[in-house]
Amino acid sequence: MTTTMKAVRIHAYGGPEVLHYEDTPLPQLNPDDLLIRVRAASVNPVDWKIREGHLQGFLNHQLPLTLGWDVSGNVVEVGPEVTRFKVGDAVYARPNIERDGGYAEYIAVKTSEAALKPTRLDHDHAAAVPLAALTAWQALVDAAQLRSGQTVLIHAAAGGVGSFAVQLAKARGAKVIATASAVNVGLAMELGADEFIDYTHTRFEEAVKDVDVVFDTIGGETQTRSWSVLKPGGILVSVISPPSEATAAEQGVRSAFVFVQPSGSQLDAIAHLIDEGRMKPILHTVLPLYEARQAQVISQGGHGRGKIVLHVAD
């Protein structure tokens, strides 16, 4: 095997121009690591937020850094402690965000972060799943403990995370109210939304009340306006910024903040739902790895519909 690979790295924080497609050494494996030949990686807002330096106080990164923490590929080497996977397995993962990421031909990930890829998805589609689907799972299942018969309001329902949240909520038997722009009404309903609110024409707090869960993927004013639609004892879960505990107490509701964590076991459960036809990724566009700058520009523009994927290898 070669000792070098192509990767997209940053050597300094800044705009898209700091992304460089270059040669770099192959990752070093820990005893419980897999070395994955990356077939595809997806682009998430956290990628460009890290690139711009916004998470320097939160994450322990060393530069140069390879971005991208959503991958699908094949195992080409395993550490001596690995028993769950073998060379050749098709896997997908949301790797540890404090290690080098997946904008590369190869990546090292812990065994506990990976799962067998959904069999009905190719690598481009599988790479679009882990971070967004895990975010939805950890918000709705772990934090909100969403149950059958409950009602959930999902903001930005056509986005990468929102589109998975709609499908996951329906799979759990919940009633889903989705917000997005009018152009995405068809997608939201296709994914399983029971009601749709075009936020450009309707203030959601005037159309919704007494929901059990609000899933906030926007933050700011949208989060602030969301308190009033919750029923007593309901919960507002944000993946953007921690909701005010004081406001939650005043309103007689609960709050939670989720920063997605790796979980191979949850990816196993998600793969099962995908293979049953109950969830699917929505792709916005697929670009080659060397066009990572353009991919991040699109992501930063807030396209709002599905995932951006970097195709690395066939």
Side-chain angles (χ1 to χ4, degrees):
M1 183 184 296
T2 179
T3 58
T4 63
M5 65 178 183
K6 290 292 186 182
V8 175
R9 301 200 295 173
I10 61 170
H11 295 257
Y13 297 110
E17 69 281 356
V18 303
L19 292 165
H20 295 285
Y21 180 68
E22 61 192 25
D23 292 315
T24 184
L26 252 63
Q28 296 296 308
L29 259 62
N30 294 321
D32 60 346
D33 277 352
L34 311 173
L35 183 65
I36 298 172
R37 175 61 166 109
V38 179
R39 306 296 179 184
S42 83
V43 176
N44 295 285
V46 71
D47 300 354
W48 54 260
K49 290 177 182 178
I50 288 173
R51 186 203 75 217
E52 291 188 339
H54 298 306
L55 300 181
Q56 287 184 73
F58 184 65
L59 298 171
N60 183 30
H61 283 141
Q62 301 293 320
L63 299 182
L65 175 69
T66 303
L67 300 177
W69 293 276
D70 242 351
V71 298
S72 183
N74 295 96
V75 177
V76 294
E77 187 179 340
V78 299
E81 295 179 2
V82 174
T83 58
R84 288 185 56 223
F85 300 98
K86 64 183 184 302
V87 171
D89 282 346
V91 297
Y92 72 152
R94 186 285 198 183
N96 181 350
I97 206 164
E98 295 197 352
R99 296 177 72 179
D100 278 327
Y103 290 10
E105 293 179 318
Y106 295 88
I107 185 174
V109 307
K110 287 187 65 174
T111 305
S112 61
E113 298 163 356
L116 293 176
K117 176 182 73 64
T119 57
R120 70 187 297 161
L121 298 184
D122 60 24
H123 286 292
D124 287 347
H125 284 80
V129 174
L131 190 146
L134 284 173
T135 301
W137 186 285
Q138 291 169 19
L140 296 180
V141 179
D142 295 346
Q145 299 184 335
L146 183 67
R147 303 185 303 277
S148 178
Q150 291 188 319
T151 299
V152 57
L153 173 64
I154 298 173
H155 290 303
V161 173
S163 60
F164 279 112
V166 171
Q167 297 174 86
L168 179 59
K170 289 306 295 181
R172 295 185 69 79
K175 176 183 177 181
V176 175
I177 305 170
T179 73
S181 60
V183 70
N184 289 315
V185 62
L187 175 61
M189 303 306 280
E190 174 195 337
L191 295 176
D194 298 286
E195 297 180 18
F196 180 86
I197 298 172
D198 175 5
Y199 72 87
T200 66
H201 289 92
T202 303
R203 292 182 68 84
F204 66 83
E205 68 270 31
E206 296 174 359
V208 179
K209 63 178 181 179
D210 293 332
V211 304
D212 297 282
V213 179
V214 172
F215 184 31
D216 167 39
T217 65
I218 300 174
E221 179 196 12
T222 297
Q223 183 184 108
T224 301
R225 291 161 49 204
S226 293
W227 294 110
S228 65
V229 308
L230 285 165
K231 65 170 55 173
I235 185 168
L236 190 161
V237 184
S238 179
V239 295
I240 301 298
S241 58
S244 166
E245 294 182 6
T247 301
E250 291 170 6
Q251 299 283 338
V253 297
R254 296 167 294 137
S255 66
F257 173 68
V258 170
F259 188 86
V260 64
Q261 299 300 312
S263 174
S265 61
Q266 290 177 354
L267 286 178
D268 280 331
I270 289 164
H272 186 66
L273 288 173
I274 290 171
D275 284 336
E276 286 184 335
R278 302 173 75 186
M279 289 175 65
K280 64 181 181 181
I282 305 299
L283 298 195
H284 176 71
T285 191
V286 180
L287 296 169
L289 177 61
Y290 58 81
E291 290 192 15
R293 288 185 184 180
Q294 178 61 20
Q296 287 202 1
V297 169
I298 296 170
S299 175
Q300 202 159 357
H303 61 84
R305 186 185 178 106
K307 295 294 297 292
I308 302 163
V309 170
L310 296 172
H311 182 81
V312 180
D314 294 329

